[in-house]
Amino acid sequence: QVHLQQSGPEVKKPGASVKVSCTVSGSSLGELSMHWVRQAPVKGLEWMGGFDPENDETIYAQKFQGRVTMTDDTSTDAAYMELSSLTHEDTAVYYCAASTRRGYILHYWGQGTLVTVSS
Amino acid sequence: EVVMTQSPATLSVSPGDRATLSCRASLTVISNLAWYQQRPGQPPRLLMYGASTRATGIPARFSGSGSGAEFTLTISSLQSEDFAVYYCQQYNYWPYTFGQGTKLEIK
């Protein structure tokens, strides 16, 4: 049973950066492809980026290009999403979601991390 | 990017009745379409992938159909735990895109 455990809530000031972690158990990070999806308050789901198994690279949504970095640490089975230059519009719950390594379907989801951007 | 449009935005149905949710893609996504259920305060839960394959542990009252650009999620005999928000998502193209959601509420 794959489980994704995310780090706790964050409060950041505008202009700051935030780094959210997602730790895998029940499998290893090397067996998964990690994606990040966010959900602003009372809004829908927005894909931020994830691993493309066909080209072996991480792809970012154009909206977040240059501002987001997604990394994996296979030694600790933890994935990270760092978002910089935060604005109030970045206030949202951030989810990690995973497919199998060569797959595309988001079978597994973390519990979510609330990031609040407030001055 | 592929725009996913769900209808209706809100669907009011009585427990025990059938619910039919629709999802339309702005381009053909073949059958690379997933459905998720999201209850308040919880992460999305994968219900369906490949347009019509139930994910592990999903009850048989959930069924999906469609291919190309038109898709349907049907829930027969609604249970109390089925009242939630449902999202479709295409994974045929980058970036992945989600529909805006259909809220299934108790009539």
Side-chain angles (χ1 to χ4, degrees):
Chain A
Q1 177 88 358
V2 176
H3 182 72
L4 306 180
Q5 182 66 38
Q6 296 185 224
S7 48
E10 303 265 10
V11 179
K12 296 291 183 181
K13 292 193 180 303
S17 297
V18 68
K19 192 169 186 177
V20 179
S21 69
C22 173
T23 302
V24 176
S25 60
S27 181
S28 66
L29 187 55
E31 296 297 315
L32 302 173
S33 290
M34 197 64 68
H35 298 251
W36 292 86
V37 175
R38 78 176 186 180
Q39 186 170 36
V42 204
K43 295 285 189 182
L45 301 169
E46 181 176 34
W47 182 82
M48 300 178 67
F51 186 75
D52 175 6
E54 183 174 358
N55 296 297
D56 265 341
E57 62 180 358
T58 298
I59 293 182
Y60 301 121
Q62 188 168 14
K63 175 177 180 177
F64 301 100
Q65 288 269 5
R67 208 161 66 90
V68 70
T69 305
M70 297 173 187
T71 54
D72 291 348
D73 183 346
T74 53
S75 69
T76 59
D77 285 325
Y80 299 90
M81 186 283 300
E82 184 170 21
L83 188 63
S84 61
S85 303
L86 293 169
T87 71
H88 298 288
E89 286 66 44
D90 293 316
T91 293
V93 175
Y94 289 77
Y95 295 102
C96 58
S99 66
T100 55
R101 187 63 179 179
R102 307 309 299 178
Y104 296 87
I105 299 156
L106 304 180
H107 285 274
Y108 314 108
W109 291 70
Q111 83 276 20
T113 296
L114 175 62
V115 175
T116 303
V117 183
S118 174
S119 48
Chain B
E1 67 179 44
V2 180
V3 177
M4 306 300 291
T5 303
Q6 292 185 241
S7 60
T10 304
L11 184 59
S12 299
V13 184
S14 300
D17 285 353
R18 174 191 298 260
T20 302
L21 289 67
S22 296
C23 175
R24 173 179 290 180
S26 61
L27 292 174
T28 177
V29 296
I30 316 174
S31 293
N32 295 321
L33 189 284
W35 289 94
Y36 300 87
Q37 177 193 68
Q38 188 177 34
R39 296 174 177 140
Q42 294 190 15
R45 172 194 181 197
L46 178 67
L47 293 177
M48 206 78 59
Y49 60 92
S52 60
T53 301
R54 279 190 300 277
T56 302
I58 301 304
R61 64 180 181 273
F62 290 89
S63 63
S65 64
S67 66
E70 300 277 353
F71 301 90
T72 299
L73 176 70
T74 301
I75 313 169
S76 63
S77 190
L78 280 162
Q79 307 295 302
S80 57
E81 62 266 29
D82 300 335
F83 292 95
V85 180
Y86 291 82
Y87 294 94
C88 62
Q89 177 238 332
Q90 67 80 22
Y91 51 93
N92 196 59
Y93 298 101
W94 303 110
Y96 287 179
T97 46
F98 292 87
Q100 80 280 15
T102 291
K103 182 178 181 181
L104 184 55
E105 63 177 28
I106 300 175
K107 187 174 182 178

